[in-house]
Amino acid sequence: MNTGSDAQIEVRECKISDLGKSIGDKVRIRGWLYVKNTVGGISFLRVRDSSGIVQVVVRREKVGEDVFEQVDKLKRESSLIIEGVVKMDERAPGGVELGAESLRIQSPSLEDYPLRRELSSNVVWKYRHLFIRSRIMNTVLKLRSSLSNLFRKWLLEHDFYEVNAPSIVTAATEGGAKMFEVKYFDKKAFLTQSSQFYLEGAIFSLEKVFCFQPSFRAEESKTRRHLSEYWHLEVEASNMDFQGLLQMEEDMLTSVIEEFYNKHKDEIKRFNPGFKPFEKPFKKITYTQAVELLKSNGVDIEWGRDLGVREERMVATIFGQPVFITHYPKEVRAFYHMPDPENPSVVLSADLVVWPYGEIAGGGQRIDDYRMLFERIVESGYNPEDYAWYLDLRKYGSVPHSGFGLGFERLLAHILHLPSIKYAIPYPRTQTIVYP
Ligand code: ATP
Ligand code: MN
């Protein structure tokens, strides 16, 4: 029964981005001071929360002398709880403004906020914990969260199971030079460069698996496309051959990116006005054809040498869209790649390259024969004992299988045209950045 306790109705809490739906209502917002400008007896505050920014008009006679004086002294980023009435105002950002009726300072900023508008990049890295409050990073982080969820959703809808792999491992997948050693265990241990081997183990239980977790690379060079710790989306499936893999990668990327684009068109366009969702079918070119193409464009390259970012970028530029480069020489690919039965000097591998980041995903069909894998490990200069459990997977009911790994920050930086993948992650790690 409604006993008519209307007088006690609580003021409704409102996210700033929803204020437009509450014109004329009294609401409460919680946020942080962004900009302040006082003229006579009126303070104009720009207040932000996770959802947006609104102009709040604070009048001396409405909030009282005391509060008004305190507001006048507030420094940027002070946290506030404000109740007021929403008014339409076409000149205001977002089309509305809030006329404050009461204002509570939750916690005033103790010092001047160290991030100004003109940011030197050193300041950005040193104050990363504050920089993520910026409007740019607020949007990037929302988009990052959305994109990772869309990948998960697609994979789960397509009968993949999410598997969690260890971060501490004993063997290299991509060459020992880039490993971070972890000193603690009886055995030599490292931070993982990829969860591929563990996913390969899991397909014999779950058949189609993925993981989304960090990989660690002790990169020697400082580039805009390498982090020491990056988020790696890895997929592995049993009874999927090389052609099936390319098809799956293409299906997943086109549909996830299309959904992402349709959901966030305005934000994406603000970052990258020229972005177009990936289209099927992807262009495909063999490594051998890529070398010919590069030579005919004046690049000094010999068959057998790995492609660097300059070459990958050039191929992507020539095609004007993402390109699969396939069938690399086996010498420039890790030992587990399946040799092409029609030409065993190359392997069934594919890198997806885009402008300007070059490779964003790499994968291929894995060797499923015990003997062949054993020999490739020895030929590559490794000790088969270090890979005993990985070899075991070929001993007990081996099946053809394939998989790939995608650098999540590279993809996001490509879509948003960010100047470095360091902007695609909240707290980047590189050789020179481990703080904060
Ligand atoms: P690159 O030659 O560009 O360094 P890679 O051959 O070392 O790449 P893979 O070992 O195949 O890359 O890793 C799979 C994916 O992980 C790559 O396609 C890339 O998108 C991403 N990746 C690799 N290294 C890094 C890194 N240091 N920082 C961010 N992403 C990375
Ligand atoms: Mn690398």
Side-chain angles (χ1 to χ4, degrees):
M1 191 170 69
N2 189 337
T3 52
S5 56
D6 284 2
Q8 275 115 41
I9 282 180
E10 277 273 304
V11 176
R12 190 162 44 85
E13 295 259 345
C14 199
K15 284 282 149 210
I16 287 173
S17 61
D18 286 336
L19 289 174
K21 295 179 212 150
S22 303
I23 308 288
D25 296 352
K26 184 167 171 183
V27 297
R28 182 190 306 123
I29 62 168
R30 291 167 195 264
W32 290 265
L33 178 62
Y34 192 58
V35 189
K36 188 190 69 202
N37 190 10
T38 305
V39 192
I42 308 181
S43 266
F44 297 94
L45 314 181
R46 294 253 228 123
V47 176
R48 63 165 190 87
D49 70 3
S50 61
S51 72
I53 294 196
V54 68
Q55 172 155 292
V56 178
V57 183
V58 184
R59 289 171 200 277
R60 192 190 294 268
E61 70 271 16
K62 282 265 185 192
V63 297
E65 192 67 32
D66 265 12
V67 172
F68 193 82
E69 289 307 315
Q70 287 173 33
V71 167
D72 197 37
K73 294 197 195 77
L74 280 184
K75 297 185 194 303
R76 186 171 159 189
E77 289 302 307
S78 299
S79 51
L80 309 170
I81 300 175
I82 305 167
E83 290 181 6
V85 176
V86 185
K87 286 193 213 113
M88 199 120 81
D89 182 355
E90 258 138 47
R91 293 157 308 169
V96 295
E97 72 175 27
L98 191 69
E101 303 203 333
S102 74
L103 185 149
R104 204 176 109 209
I105 299 161
Q106 256 191 319
S107 176
S109 290
L110 305 180
E111 292 173 20
D112 282 336
Y113 192 59
L115 297 180
R116 306 267 146 70
R117 258 167 209 282
E118 315 71 24
L119 296 169
S120 82
S121 53
N122 284 343
V123 173
V124 170
W125 307 127
K126 182 169 157 205
Y127 291 107
R128 191 68 180 196
H129 51 303
L130 303 179
F131 181 55
I132 55 172
R133 303 179 183 196
S134 65
R135 299 318 293 163
I136 288 185
M137 286 306 293
N138 172 277
T139 309
V140 170
L141 296 180
K142 283 180 187 168
L143 293 173
R144 180 182 165 105
S145 165
S146 175
L147 185 60
S148 63
N149 280 314
L150 291 174
F151 274 117
R152 273 215 173 80
K153 183 165 87 99
W154 191 94
L155 286 158
L156 294 172
E157 278 169 4
H158 288 78
D159 303 325
F160 285 82
Y161 290 97
E162 181 162 9
V163 169
N164 306 125
S167 294
I168 302 171
V169 301
T170 56
T173 55
E174 310 295 326
K178 292 182 177 174
M179 300 286 275
F180 288 104
E181 194 174 339
V182 181
K183 291 208 170 82
Y184 173 78
F185 301 94
D186 297 341
K187 270 179 182 295
K188 245 186 193 300
F190 308 92
L191 296 181
T192 192
Q193 297 176 306
S194 154
S195 302
Q196 178 197 319
F197 293 179
Y198 293 90
L199 292 186
E200 285 185 66
I203 61 168
F204 294 94
S205 172
L206 300 168
E207 300 193 19
K208 293 166 82 177
V209 296
F210 74 98
C211 70
F212 181 53
Q213 59 190 71
S215 282
F216 302 86
R217 307 272 172 110
E219 306 284 358
E220 287 145 50
S221 55
K222 297 183 193 86
T223 72
R224 58 179 169 145
R225 54 192 219 115
H226 289 100
L227 296 166
S228 315
E229 175 178 6
Y230 71 96
W231 281 72
H232 206 172
L233 179 69
E234 293 183 89
V235 174
E236 208 69 34
S238 61
N239 294 304
M240 182 164 76
D241 66 5
F242 185 55
Q243 288 312 321
L245 172 77
L246 297 184
Q247 191 62 53
M248 187 254 148
E249 249 184 282
E250 185 177 288
D251 286 346
M252 181 183 79
L253 281 164
T254 48
S255 77
V256 167
I257 293 173
E258 185 181 56
E259 197 174 346
F260 182 61
Y261 183 73
N262 290 338
K263 233 175 141 173
H264 307 286
K265 204 174 278 170
D266 294 345
E267 290 98 321
I268 295 170
K269 288 257 172 192
R270 231 182 299 136
F271 281 95
N272 186 0
F275 182 73
K276 285 192 209 72
F278 294 6
E279 273 172 27
K280 277 200 265 196
F282 287 176
K283 293 284 174 217
K284 295 179 189 70
I285 174 175
T286 65
Y287 165 89
T288 305
Q289 291 167 330
V291 167
E292 288 312 311
L293 181 71
L294 289 163
K295 276 188 178 159
S296 70
N297 279 272
V299 178
D300 180 23
I301 182 164
E302 287 307 314
W303 194 97
R305 217 180 71 201
D306 202 3
L307 306 181
V309 63
R310 279 185 49 246
E311 287 94 26
E312 292 169 355
R313 190 182 292 150
M314 190 159 188
V315 171
T317 307
I318 292 167
F319 285 95
Q321 52 182 295
V323 185
F324 269 132
I325 305 180
T326 66
H327 301 86
Y328 280 80
K330 73 172 199 277
E331 286 74 19
V332 300
R333 281 295 168 268
F335 62 79
Y336 49 74
H337 283 100
M338 175 75 99
D340 182 356
E342 282 161 30
N343 173 11
S345 65
V346 299
V347 291
L348 299 178
S349 75
D351 283 4
L352 186 66
V353 304
V354 300
W355 188 89
Y357 282 103
E359 177 189 339
I360 55 166
Q365 188 165 337
R366 321 303 189 189
I367 294 176
D368 54 63
D369 177 73
Y370 180 87
R371 219 45 262 164
M372 189 190 280
L373 184 62
F374 189 95
E375 276 157 23
R376 284 294 294 138
I377 290 174
V378 174
E379 255 172 51
S380 307
Y382 296 111
N383 181 355
E385 274 171 32
D386 292 341
Y387 295 91
W389 75 263
Y390 185 59
L391 279 160
D392 259 3
L393 303 178
R394 279 74 179 165
K395 267 192 198 164
Y396 306 106
S398 191
V399 287
H401 64 282
S402 304
F404 70 92
L406 173 122
F408 187 67
E409 289 80 15
R410 285 202 193 163
L411 175 65
L412 187 59
H414 165 72
I415 295 174
L416 299 182
H417 202 0
L418 303 175
S420 158
I421 67 170
K422 284 183 290 194
Y423 292 95
I425 186 165
Y427 299 103
R429 291 290 173 257
T430 69
Q431 206 169 29
T432 54
I433 305 171
V434 282
Y435 171 98

